[in-house]
Amino acid sequence: MQLAVLGGFVLAAFAPLLHRWFGDRAGLVMALLPAALSLWLFAQLPAVVGGEVLVFEQAWVPGLDIELTFLLDGLALLFALLISVIGVFVLVYSSAYLKGHPDLARFHVVLVAFMMSMLGLVLADNLVALFVFWELTSITSYLLIGFNHTDPEARKSASQGLFVTVAGGLALMAGLVMLAVVGESWSLQTLVAQGDTLRAHPLYLPILLCLLAGAFTKSAQFPFHFWLPNAMAAPTPVSAYLHSATMVKAGIYLLARMQPGMGGTEAWVTLLSLFGAVTMVTGAFLALRHTGIKSLLAYSTIMALGTLTMLLGIGTEEAMIAFGTFLLAHSLYKGALFLVAGILDHETGTKDISAMGGLRRVMPVSATCAGVAALSLGGVIPLFGFTAKELMFTSVLHAERFTVLLPALSLAAAVMTLAAAAIVALRPFFGNRREMPRAPHEGPPEMLAGPLVMAGLSLLLGLMPGLASGLVGATASSVNGAPLPASLSLWHGVNLPLGLSLVSLVLGLLIFRYWDYWRIWMRSLEPLFARGPEMGYFKIMDLIVTISVWQTRMLQNGYIRNYLVMTLMVLVGLTGYTLWSRHGLAFSFALDVRFHEALVAGLMVAGAVTACIMRLRLAAVASVGVMGFCIALTFVIFSAPDLGITQLLIETLTVILLILVLFRLPRFASLSTTLERVRDLVVAGATGLLMTLLILTVLDERLFPSIADYMIANSQPEGHGHNIVNVILVDFRALDTLGEVFVLALAAIGVYAMLSFHVDEYDARRQPERKEPRDG
Amino acid sequence: MVRSGTLILSVAARLLMPLQLLFSVFLLLRGHDEPGGGFIAGLVAAGAFALYMFAYGTQATRAMLRVAPQDLIGMGLFLGVASTLPAWWHGQPFMTAQWWTIPLIGFTFSTPLIFDIGVYLVVLGSVLTAVVGLMDGGRDDG
């Protein structure tokens, strides 16, 4: 299981190669992986429905309790199935949608990487692993929203999505750490099982708020909903996949996962029900403001996310079954609708619904899919969305708190959603044929496959909801924390939920009929929308920029001498204070110096002094070099050949680099005043003094046994090497080395970028001069 | 900026360079038991290329390298990360060293060696990026 997910990342890395081999069909080849995963997941279905929890153990960093153990229960299985099945269709779809796009390979790299991150997120049992995958989905989402990177709007939307979700991610991290501390475990399974301890703990509320901040930003709950419609700048398959069926549900997944461990308290019920309900209504209401088909669908996704949160908040057994049903139903119909929206955009050249019309003759298959999926969105009998909506109404009516508010808001949302569904299904396909930027015709089979299957499933599960009972029941059991069988059926008899459905159908169609007037009415509310939460986002971003400009001017003014003074003084201050307060200034050491040692030390001092008083830059560099070589000598004297060689080589290369830099510097001149020189002397002297005292202290005090003994004893048996330094570098402490290597690489890239940048500027300034004739 | 140097430098660079590179590989391979290792070996190799660059300029050096120095960094990082993964196959934690002995020649191949080669490439690439960049003023049209 782990190998499948990690292998997926490798596959993502090889996407460019596959594109070279298979051309535009590479997407189809890559779809084989999620297809195989889906089949495997389906094979696990009976066991999971039977109440089993499959655990796939894998150590990662056992020393820190970090595991890559995967957990497959009902909730994880439902999500994993949605991710891999819809993933197959999206990969197939995108190879037609973006056919011939020069960056298609890059698109597939990120899309497959996202798919695997999302799978890891829903399967991970360890909090750290969960968090890593969580952040990976944010990053891949960022790259996909900004896929059209030449478009400034796309870039802006991408960074907005990233900032909002990553800010939430930080809060989530804090919440997860607190959770692990309180529950004394990093395993979700263990944590969720000790619900009573968690709920009684004084840190419960802080943990809850942090988790909610993470989940609400990720799942676009009010007031963080604004990033989701902007994320529609992404190519349509991405919107269908990330921003409707999978990634935005990660927050919902987290809440559902935590429900048995943390749910049911006053705070949980209040916060989730209210935020969920408000999000639901906001999404449904704002959807009707837009004529862009993707914006409209995005807002209706917000509505669905709000509904799911609200159902988790209500937390009764009915609500959990409704949660599972609604989740499945929404992913199916919304995925289908988005993909049809992509076909419309692809074939007509416009995203504006009000510009489309009469397309049912030329695009009969798309029209049928859209019709079926939209009926499911609107919750019309006999689609699966109807079953979900009935269950939702039932749970809302039986909620223990907010018994008036929740049903009222749900009804309002249902009415407006039905209107939105009617707009999406009827406007583009019926009515009079209009002029469109491109002559429309039916989409290619790769693009129709996804909508057909998903709309087909919406209809099939609607007619025979019993087919989904097992999966939904298993999901609800995971959310419930105890077995909770579900038996779904289409017809519940004539009751209040059915009445509410009928009311919403009638009112929704009325709104659809008068949609144009409705939009005019909404336009008068424009000033209100302009002051929405997005305004707050922009204010905060401006504030951050202002502060960072101010602090950069203060601390990083571009003069290396100021950086040095600042760094060294902080070092002297903090280390010196610790040294003085912890240790005092008493030292005892035996002065046992041999002649050659004294000679090397003397040379070093001479080199340092010469470097300070030299008037020629080259000579100063050479004097510094003398010091470096003396240090290398010291290493050799004290039998550390590796360090000696390294120091020697570094010294040589430093001289080479310095000489190359010196070519570019202006003439060496004395620019500093006497006062500044005195300041430099003080700083340098203080640093030197501190280092001396520090070394003396180290010699003086041994607080704990040296780790060298361990390294010496284990280097050969464990690391198969006699060179202890190297064994430490590449085996015992390889993680540190890996980090250092990355730092080195980043520094090199920084140098490269800085030099390239500088030369461009330099050339730009020199351009006119170059044209003049050189010889004269 | 720095053009070809004197005759002595040119001839010396041409003769020394293969030796230096050979020596760097020697240092790299023996590093696990004797003084040496990827970091030192990378520096030696970088020194070799730097010498060549002083004698023949950056154009010739780039032509000899065939790949851009930045690409060396990428390859090195890739090897470094890749060497952490084989432990998965044996169900061991990430980064556990794996050792394989090739039967006939008795040469021991291991993930720490792959890791060390990665370090070698990153060090070489980083130094060369800086040196080449400074020598042609960061122009990438070489």
Side-chain angles (χ1 to χ4, degrees):
Chain A
M1 191 68 220
Q2 281 88 351
L3 280 177
V5 170
L6 294 174
F9 282 111
V10 176
L11 180 74
F14 278 99
L17 205 64
L18 289 172
H19 271 268
R20 214 168 292 163
W21 289 345
F22 297 102
D24 282 338
R25 284 192 304 278
L28 306 182
V29 177
M30 272 183 282
L32 290 177
L33 177 79
L37 264 172
S38 320
L39 288 180
W40 185 83
L41 288 167
F42 271 117
Q44 311 306 314
L45 197 57
V48 173
V49 169
E52 258 184 80
V53 175
L54 305 172
V55 180
F56 304 86
E57 283 183 19
Q58 170 70 55
W60 186 4
V61 191
L64 296 174
D65 279 341
I66 300 173
E67 316 252 312
L68 199 65
T69 297
F70 281 175
L71 195 71
L72 196 63
D73 62 355
L75 183 64
L77 184 67
L78 175 60
F79 268 96
L81 271 174
L82 288 175
I83 294 162
S84 24
V85 173
I86 300 182
V88 173
F89 293 124
V90 166
L91 270 173
V92 171
Y93 182 94
S94 64
S95 50
Y97 184 77
L98 289 171
K99 194 172 199 156
H101 195 288
D103 289 332
L104 185 57
R106 188 162 60 84
F107 178 81
H108 279 145
V109 171
V110 188
L111 192 69
V112 174
F114 163 77
M115 193 184 291
M116 295 304 137
S117 319
M118 193 65 208
L119 270 176
L121 166 61
V122 298
L123 291 170
D125 175 54
N126 187 278
L127 294 184
V128 177
L130 176 106
F131 181 72
V132 168
F133 286 120
W134 179 282
E135 293 296 70
L136 275 174
T137 60
S138 291
I139 294 167
T140 40
S141 156
Y142 164 74
L143 292 172
L144 288 169
I145 301 173
F147 179 66
N148 292 323
H149 56 91
T150 46
D151 175 10
E153 275 303 307
R155 291 203 301 271
K156 213 173 93 187
S157 305
S159 42
Q160 189 182 54
L162 185 74
F163 285 138
V164 173
T165 51
V166 166
L170 278 177
L172 174 70
M173 182 169 72
L176 293 179
V177 170
M178 282 192 281
L179 188 63
V181 170
V182 170
E184 289 170 356
S185 166
W186 289 93
S187 157
L188 272 171
Q189 232 184 341
T190 323
L191 285 168
V192 164
Q194 43 181 319
D196 293 332
T197 327
L198 292 180
R199 280 185 281 258
H201 200 277
L203 275 178
Y204 173 78
L205 197 61
I207 294 174
L208 179 65
L209 291 178
C210 285
L211 293 186
L212 288 187
F216 282 5
T217 46
K218 193 83 165 179
S219 290
Q221 300 291 304
F222 183 86
F224 307 111
H225 61 278
F226 55 85
W227 74 265
L228 186 59
N230 291 337
M232 295 300 129
T236 308
V238 173
S239 310
Y241 193 39
L242 275 72
H243 304 119
S244 136
T246 59
M247 189 194 88
V248 288
K249 294 209 177 87
I252 305 289
Y253 165 79
L254 183 76
L255 295 177
R257 185 50 90 201
M258 296 319 296
Q259 168 95 23
M262 299 189 65
T265 60
E266 186 75 21
W268 174 281
V269 172
T270 313
L271 287 171
L272 265 71
S273 311
L274 286 186
F275 273 97
V278 169
T279 308
M280 175 176 74
V281 174
T282 312
F285 182 63
L286 291 179
L288 296 177
R289 184 182 148 213
H290 292 268
T291 56
I293 186 161
K294 286 180 74 181
S295 309
L296 213 153
L297 290 175
Y299 278 107
S300 91
T301 303
I302 294 177
M303 182 292 284
L305 295 168
T307 311
L308 288 167
T309 309
M310 179 185 75
L311 287 173
L312 286 174
I314 293 171
T316 54
E317 295 190 347
E318 280 168 339
M320 288 174 199
I321 291 170
F323 169 82
T325 317
F326 198 91
L327 183 68
L328 181 58
H330 174 257
S331 297
L332 289 177
Y333 65 67
K334 196 55 70 65
L337 282 176
F338 262 114
L339 293 181
V340 171
I343 296 176
L344 287 174
D345 166 27
H346 195 255
E347 305 300 336
T348 64
T350 174
K351 290 188 173 96
D352 192 349
I353 290 189
S354 53
M356 302 177 198
L359 288 169
R360 74 179 184 284
R361 292 230 166 68
V362 281
M363 303 168 84
V365 185
S366 305
T368 315
C369 293
V372 171
L375 286 176
S376 190
L377 166 67
V380 179
I381 202 161
L383 279 303
F384 196 44
F386 171 75
T387 314
K389 199 168 76 169
E390 292 288 282
L391 287 169
M392 191 264 282
F393 276 139
T394 315
S395 351
V396 167
L397 287 170
H398 295 174
E400 283 150 15
R401 306 231 14 226
F402 311 112
T403 41
V404 181
L405 184 67
L406 292 186
L409 290 180
S410 301
L411 182 63
V415 169
M416 292 186 280
T417 306
L418 197 117
I423 292 165
V424 173
L426 302 179
R427 273 282 180 136
F429 298 106
F430 291 87
N432 298 326
R433 183 74 184 272
R434 290 167 196 245
E435 279 305 307
M436 276 159 273
R438 247 177 260 165
H441 52 85
E442 188 60 275
E446 293 99 314
M447 292 172 74
L448 287 172
L452 265 177
V453 171
M454 284 190 265
L457 277 176
S458 299
L459 183 61
L460 180 72
L461 293 179
L463 291 171
M464 288 181 275
L467 290 179
S469 291
L471 187 57
V472 168
T475 308
S477 306
S478 312
V479 183
N480 190 25
L484 180 62
S487 63
L488 307 182
S489 56
L490 184 61
W491 184 250
H492 289 269
V494 181
N495 52 14
L496 193 50
L498 187 71
L500 289 178
S501 283
L502 279 177
V503 172
S504 63
L505 187 66
V506 172
L507 291 178
L509 287 176
L510 271 177
I511 294 183
F512 167 69
R513 178 76 181 71
Y514 299 104
W515 185 40
D516 294 324
Y517 300 103
W518 174 279
R519 282 214 314 282
I520 294 167
W521 170 68
M522 280 185 99
R523 217 165 286 149
S524 64
L525 297 175
E526 228 32 76
L528 185 69
F529 301 136
R531 285 198 188 76
E534 194 173 7
M535 192 70 200
Y537 166 81
F538 288 125
K539 284 249 167 69
I540 292 175
M541 292 320 280
D542 288 346
L543 188 70
I544 291 174
V545 170
T546 316
I547 292 175
S548 75
V549 165
W550 172 79
Q551 77 94 27
T552 309
R553 269 205 205 116
M554 287 284 294
L555 297 176
Q556 305 181 349
N557 49 12
Y559 294 109
I560 199 162
R561 50 180 177 274
N562 291 356
Y563 293 175
L564 273 175
V565 168
M566 198 78 83
T567 314
L568 292 177
M569 288 321 288
V570 169
L571 176 80
V572 170
L574 292 181
T575 319
Y577 173 74
T578 314
L579 191 65
W580 179 68
S581 60
R582 296 276 173 87
H583 182 264
L585 294 173
F587 308 102
S588 61
F589 57 94
L591 202 64
D592 175 24
V593 184
R594 270 172 272 170
F595 175 68
H596 58 275
E597 291 167 12
L599 191 70
V600 171
L603 264 175
M604 247 191 265
V605 173
V609 173
T610 321
C612 291
I613 57 175
M614 266 298 154
R615 294 207 162 271
L616 275 174
R617 227 185 233 130
L618 206 56
V621 169
S623 318
V624 174
V626 168
M627 275 197 295
F629 286 119
C630 287
I631 295 173
L633 256 177
T634 319
F635 284 135
V636 174
I637 291 173
F638 291 100
S639 55
D642 278 280
L643 294 182
I645 299 172
T646 311
Q647 177 71 29
L648 209 66
L649 289 165
I650 289 283
E651 216 42 66
T652 315
L653 287 169
T654 312
V655 171
I656 291 178
L657 286 177
L658 275 177
I659 286 174
L660 288 175
V661 172
L662 291 190
F663 273 118
R664 321 177 138 257
L665 292 181
R667 187 170 278 284
F668 201 25
S670 174
L671 295 172
S672 47
T673 62
T674 317
L675 195 65
E676 282 169 340
R677 292 181 149 233
V678 171
R679 178 199 65 185
D680 295 348
L681 184 69
V682 170
V683 172
T687 313
L689 189 68
L690 175 82
M691 291 319 286
T692 313
L693 291 179
L694 207 57
I695 290 167
L696 288 176
T697 316
V698 169
L699 286 176
D700 195 41
E701 245 181 55
R702 270 274 151 85
L703 292 174
F704 37 81
S706 160
I707 53 166
D709 300 331
Y710 170 84
M711 300 292 181
I712 292 167
N714 288 299
S715 167
Q716 169 60 18
E718 297 268 326
H720 300 271
H722 292 287
N723 181 357
I724 301 160
V725 176
N726 193 257
V727 172
I728 294 174
L729 280 178
V730 300
D731 195 345
F732 291 166
R733 291 288 160 85
L735 186 64
D736 298 0
T737 313
L738 194 63
E740 281 155 21
V741 168
F742 269 95
V743 171
L744 186 65
L746 277 178
I749 292 166
V751 168
Y752 178 73
M754 214 154 65
L755 284 171
S756 313
F757 176 67
H758 206 74
V759 164
D760 290 345
E761 263 189 357
Y762 185 80
D763 281 355
R765 244 184 289 142
R766 284 296 165 95
Q767 216 63 51
E769 280 178 42
R770 274 202 188 157
K771 283 174 191 157
E772 292 165 14
R774 282 266 160 136
D775 45 356
Chain B
M1 182 177 304
V2 185
R3 281 280 159 260
S4 55
T6 63
L7 182 65
I8 297 175
L9 183 62
S10 311
V11 175
R14 178 154 286 176
L15 288 176
L16 278 176
M17 183 161 172
L19 288 178
Q20 281 175 298
L21 288 181
L22 207 61
F23 182 59
S24 81
V25 174
F26 166 71
L27 279 176
L28 171 68
L29 292 181
R30 75 170 206 157
H32 216 55
D33 289 318
E34 310 276 338
F39 194 81
I40 293 175
L43 290 176
V44 169
F49 283 108
L51 181 69
Y52 194 84
M53 225 177 295
F54 274 114
Y56 296 99
T58 48
Q59 293 269 7
T61 317
R62 274 179 195 279
M64 197 177 53
L65 259 177
R66 282 157 201 262
V67 289
Q70 303 88 278
D71 292 355
L72 288 178
I73 303 179
M75 285 180 230
L77 290 181
F78 178 76
L79 281 183
V81 173
S83 79
T84 62
L85 299 178
W88 288 104
W89 288 108
H90 298 278
Q92 285 166 330
F94 166 74
M95 285 196 115
T96 312
Q98 305 295 318
W99 299 82
W100 308 279
T101 305
I102 299 165
L104 281 177
I105 50 172
F107 180 72
T108 310
F109 191 65
S110 63
T111 52
L113 183 63
I114 301 175
F115 187 80
D116 225 8
I117 295 172
V119 173
Y120 175 88
L121 289 176
V122 173
V123 171
L124 177 62
S126 304
V127 177
L128 284 185
T129 303
V131 174
V132 173
L134 284 169
M135 272 184 96
D136 24 74
R139 228 166 267 128
D140 202 13
D141 48 15

